[in-house]
Amino acid sequence: MNEIVLKGIPAAPGIAMGPAYIVNKQEMVVPARAIMEKEVPIEIARFEEALIKTREQIAGIRKKISEQMGGQDAQIFDAHLLVLEDRMLIEEVSKRIQREKQSAEYIFSNVFKRYAEAFKNIQDDYLKERTADLKDIARRVLRNLIDEDRLSEIDQFKEEFILIAHDLSPSDTASMVGRNVLGFVTDIGGRTSHTAIMAKSLGIPAVVGLKDATMRISNQDEMIVDGRMGLVIIRPEEKTREIYRKEKGRIFASRGRFADIKDLPAETLDKRTITLATNLELPGEIPLIKRQGPVGIGLFRTEYFYMNRVDLPSEEEQLETYQRVVRSMAPHPVTIRTLDLGGDKFISSLQVPRDMVPFLGWRAIKFCLARPDIFKTQIRAILKASAHGKIKMMYPMISGVSEMRQANAILEEVKMQLREEKIAFDENIQVGAMIEVPSAAVTADSLAQESDFFSIGTNDLIQYALAVGRVNEQTASFYEPFHPSILRLIKMAVDAGYQAHIPVSLCGEMASEPVSALLLLGMGIDELSMTPLNVLQIKKLIRSVRFTDAQKLAQEALSLSTGQDVEELCKAKLQELAPAVLKSGD
Ligand code: PEP
Ligand code: MG
């Protein structure tokens, strides 16, 4: 078979070569989760409730089918219902929860697997075919026990592979840490979707938005993923492989190409200094961050901490993590963003239905203000950790002054409690607003009065300003970071920060791309925060140009009327001012 080249959206740079492994969400493997003695009755009750719920669901389907198609077709569901009432199954699961002290879903999935195996070995063809029905029931019960996002079959896979999926949630992607994943390929998704951000921070090449890759790729197909160009090559010919092998070698050789400036400041030729910082998704990235020279953390996305678990992290647990991060980053500051639930960042442990937290709606700060219990626990942990190092805190998705005030009022309450309890924290902790909703940018002058700093989140700002989803591959070409409206919104925030003498950072993906970073430098941004692997390249850029040239570029860009014109201008300017930066291997 000839090689096939698919073009998607480049999401994380680098080249991966290896066999394909298609994740099929239909096959669920449940990771083990140990429970304590006192949780045994809770787990058994959860299991029984899930069975009841599943029975109700199946009875509902049975009724519908028999109304529409007659009793004959509905009979299959009677068999399903019988399985769910099987005393032996129920007793075995309950006993094993008690004995093995593992979660209901883990025990149930193991017991059920044995049932399914036994069915497969039956000589009767009819019964053999019923294995699929059994699996279907298991899936239903599991879905009632656990959020589907946390069920992964990857646990079984030992070889290195390129993961192919219709979609990957950020929690799926996070669960790939430490596994043998060489690359990610998905049918849906956009450049700034959290899956893409996660892949970048894991240093795993990714191409998203391929529309029908899962239909064209078969398991074990040899593949090449070119994360720079957004190409996926299925069953590559030898000459293609050779080209990519060489390319990989070149990238590898150029990895350390900016190492000589690692310890130098991010200072322009005419002496304007920018603070460079990194975004942190998972504490495991800290060793990589530390290899990028003296940088702090400009955005600690705490959502991932809440993912892939059934409960919420306690104050102690959060404190332990924040402290660990802050201690290992010392003397550099760590900016912790409070929980940003919603959109494509979904957290199963909150027991909040997914459709309640869409991109537009009850997400991020709005969710936290409505759930002060969750919010206060996190703030307490952040404040306590602030006694152990330099911590800044910021709220996501602030839309204006009243939300900022409400959040700060809760913060004050927590501070008061800590004072009463005589618990140390940094009384001068700086608290900032993320500027990622257009209304916040437009009212940035008033917001600046309530904030110690701003951090512009362009990933969201772009989608809300242009009405183009950040995870939607169909509209990827309309998601324009260089659109004049985005430039103006950024400028409003920068000017307001300047007027109020508060620093303005930018932590969206625009900070990590040389073409946009040059423009942002000229617009007067004080800090750029990005994925660790881009830090040295952006530092090289800053050290190669004059601030006054970047300012001229920004001025000219702000006078243009289309995103395309702005982008072309910035590209040309970058080529002219800092060609060395562009000779990148990836
Ligand atoms: C942003 O929106 O630009 C941002 C940095 O936040 P996140 O990507 O986590 O939504
Ligand atoms: Mg955001």
Side-chain angles (χ1 to χ4, degrees), residues 299-314:
L299 164 64
F300 179 176
R301 289 186 168 97
T302 54
E303 305 68 71
Y304 299 109
F305 192 32
Y306 290 72
M307 287 174 176
N308 292 327
R309 55 188 296 159
V310 283
D311 52 353
L312 286 165
S314 66

Side-chain angles (χ1 to χ4, degrees), residues 319-387:
L319 173 62
E320 196 271 320
T321 303
Y322 300 152
Q323 248 174 7
R324 188 154 41 89
V325 170
V326 103
R327 284 205 176 115
S328 46
M329 291 308 298
H332 309 292
V334 175
T335 308
I336 303 181
R337 176 177 71 188
T338 57
L339 179 60
D340 184 12
L341 164 80
D344 63 339
K345 282 173 290 201
F346 183 73
I347 295 163
S348 40
S349 52
L350 290 174
Q351 311 277 315
V352 175
R354 194 180 280 267
D355 51 6
M356 291 270 293
V357 285
F359 276 113
L360 289 175
W362 198 42
R363 69 167 285 200
I365 194 68
K366 291 182 180 64
F367 175 83
C368 285
L369 292 175
R371 289 291 304 267
D373 51 329
I374 294 172
F375 196 35
K376 280 183 180 168
T377 305
Q378 183 173 33
I379 293 179
R380 260 181 85 92
I382 295 174
L383 285 176
K384 281 180 164 182
S386 72

Side-chain angles (χ1 to χ4, degrees), residues 337 340 436 460 470:
R337 176 177 71 188
D340 184 12
E436 46 184 351
D460 278 313
R470 62 193 275 188

Side-chain angles (χ1 to χ4, degrees), residues 163-174:
L163 190 121
I164 320 288
H166 178 65
D167 183 20
L168 281 175
S169 69
S171 58
D172 286 333
T173 322

